[in-house]
């Protein structure tokens, strides 16, 4: 079962869909990858990229300039 993902900006929902894996960089915590079934998690996001692995193996990348990640 894939992850249900929403990437939200102050203006709109940038991306909404399913993903097999999401990788992002947290402030002071380094990179973290989320797979289906991941434990609850909350952290501040560093300025970096969010990598989204989609079903079928394709990948999308999004620029992030702060914010937070919540699982």
């Amino acid at each position: 079962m894939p992850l249900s993902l929403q990437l939200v900006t102050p203006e709109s929902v940038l991306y909404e869909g399913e993903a097999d894996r999401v990788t992002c960089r947290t402030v002071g915590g380094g990179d973290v990858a989320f797979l289906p079934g991941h434990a609850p998690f909350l952290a501040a996001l560093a300025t970096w990229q969010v990598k989204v692995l989609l079903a079928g193996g394709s990948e999308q990348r999004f620029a992030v300039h702060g914010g937070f990640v919540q699982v």
Side-chain angles (χ1 to χ4, degrees):
M1 173 177 227
L3 294 165
S4 177
L5 174 66
Q6 274 192 331
L7 292 174
V8 182
T9 71
E11 293 83 24
S12 66
V13 176
L14 183 63
Y15 176 85
E16 187 169 11
E18 294 183 337
D20 288 342
R21 183 182 71 224
V22 178
T23 306
C24 59
R25 181 162 291 176
T26 61
V27 174
D31 291 352
V32 61
F34 302 102
L35 298 170
H38 196 283
F41 184 84
L42 179 65
L45 288 171
T47 299
W48 200 251
Q49 62 185 346
V50 171
K51 292 186 264 183
V52 179
L53 181 64
L54 303 170
S58 63
E59 184 177 82
Q60 284 193 310
R61 295 174 185 228
F62 300 90
V64 173
H65 304 279
F68 67 94
V69 57
Q70 177 183 5
V71 176

